[in-house]
Amino acid sequence: QVQLVESGGGLVQAGGSLRLSCAASGRTFSNYAVGWFRQAPGKEREFVAAITWSSGSTRYADSVKGRFTISRDNAKNTVNLQMNSLKPEDTAVYYCASKLYYASVNAPAYNYWGQGTQVTVSS
């Protein structure tokens, strides 16, 4: 059974940076895409970024373009989300998710989900 585990969340001041990682147990990310989503209290889960593992192609939400970078680490079989210039509105629980083949912005397209990691940005 595939399990995804996120790490790297925490508390940071506005303008600061955090790096989230998503690791898979049970298989590699080959032939899969990995997405990051987030959910703030009282709000729906929203797309943040995604990467197609085989090609490295990426997709970003407009709200994070130029500030967040998603990347893959072949050696560690992890997907990282580098978050710079963080804003209080980035505060949320961040989830990584995985699906076959190509990156998607749609949460229902993903089959496997991690447990989430809290990111809190103070003003």
Side-chain angles (χ1 to χ4, degrees), residues 37-100:
F37 294 80
R38 65 187 182 187
Q39 188 166 18
K43 295 188 176 181
E44 293 188 353
R45 189 169 298 189
E46 66 173 357
F47 170 75
V48 176
I51 186 167
T52 297
W53 187 271
S54 57
S55 65
S57 65
T58 58
R59 304 181 72 172
Y60 293 94
D62 288 343
S63 59
V64 306
K65 279 181 182 176
R67 299 189 299 123
F68 291 12
T69 302
I70 189 170
S71 63
R72 68 188 193 276
D73 186 324
N74 290 318
K76 296 182 179 180
N77 195 41
T78 59
V79 171
N80 302 311
L81 184 67
Q82 179 66 42
M83 305 186 296
N84 298 329
S85 301
L86 282 161
K87 306 174 181 180
E89 51 264 44
D90 294 318
T91 295
V93 177
Y94 283 70
Y95 299 89
C96 73
S98 181
K99 64 179 293 294
L100 276 172

